[in-house]
Amino acid sequence: MNFILSVVLALSAGASAEKPAEVSKTVKEAPTPSQAIAALISRRPPKGWKVEEYTNAGGADPVEAFVDGVDRIAIRAFGGPGSAYKKPAGFLTGAAASTMGRKPESVGSAEVAGRRLTVYQRGFPINLGDPHAPSGPPMLGKEFFCVLPVSGGRFVVLSYARETPAPDLERRGEEAWKVFLKTVKLPGRKT
């Protein structure tokens, strides 16, 4: 009796182990945020900067960021199914581009992927100190960004943020962003 029970258990364990392998062959894995960004633009990250990737809007808006201390260069893709922003105009009037509700300020332009793009600036609150202690107005970091239309009605936001109110006297982060923008290309286009 024990022998028969052992055989039945071994056969059922073997059968259940095979089923997940069969299922995994049919399930297509979603691309990582970096892979999703790579399908829209080519780019070269700054040397020595740490890579972070995540998604927003329940996975619809991939983000790839390069971080060096308090400096952050990010690529955020929008306009796909389920995206928080369907069009660049919606992004530019939305919370992600504003300074606590005020529209972003145009501060110049940059050549990106063979196009002249407007560079905007916005402020964002930086959490310094005890959030429960009374204080004055929030300290603001600065973010510079531009909006690049890409294929399929999508667009990417290329940004540089300094997550401290202290200025970068050497401008290393800002210079790294300017060099980074020159590496951005649209697939299939000569720029």
Side-chain angles (χ1 to χ4, degrees):
M1 179 83 154
N2 286 343
F3 174 74
I4 295 172
L5 184 59
S6 303
V7 170
V8 170
L9 287 174
L11 289 174
S12 66
S16 65
E18 290 176 25
K19 286 181 183 176
E22 291 172 22
V23 170
S24 67
K25 289 179 185 177
T26 60
V27 174
K28 186 177 178 180
E29 289 189 35
T32 66
S34 291
Q35 290 169 333
I37 297 288
L40 300 172
I41 63 169
S42 67
R43 73 274 181 231
R44 191 170 49 246
K47 266 191 166 187
W49 290 43
K50 184 178 130 195
V51 177
E52 294 179 352
E53 56 183 326
Y54 55 93
T55 61
N56 291 322
D61 297 334
V63 179
E64 180 180 48
F66 311 111
V67 180
D68 183 30
V70 295
D71 294 313
R72 178 184 193 81
I73 294 172
I75 308 160
R76 296 174 283 171
F78 298 103
S83 179
Y85 299 102
K86 297 294 184 190
K87 304 265 184 224
F91 173 80
L92 290 170
T93 59
S98 75
T99 301
M100 299 174 65
R102 290 187 318 267
K103 68 181 187 171
E105 176 186 349
S106 172
V107 293
S109 64
E111 184 82 21
V112 181
R115 298 178 182 182
R116 178 67 49 195
L117 302 177
T118 301
V119 175
Y120 298 94
Q121 177 182 313
R122 76 178 196 104
F124 60 94
I126 298 175
N127 186 11
L128 297 174
D130 183 355
H132 304 291
S135 63
M139 294 277 221
L140 296 179
K142 287 185 182 178
E143 180 182 38
F144 299 92
F145 65 91
C146 54
V147 178
L148 175 65
V150 295
S151 64
R154 308 230 19 220
F155 64 99
V156 296
V157 175
L158 306 162
S159 66
Y160 162 67
R162 183 152 174 85
E163 297 180 349
T164 177
D168 177 6
L169 299 177
E170 297 175 7
R171 299 171 48 115
R172 288 180 340 119
E174 191 175 336
E175 292 303 319
W177 185 57
K178 288 177 182 177
V179 170
F180 169 77
L181 290 178
K182 292 178 184 176
T183 73
V184 174
K185 306 281 185 257
L186 295 173
R189 258 197 192 174
K190 294 180 181 179
T191 55

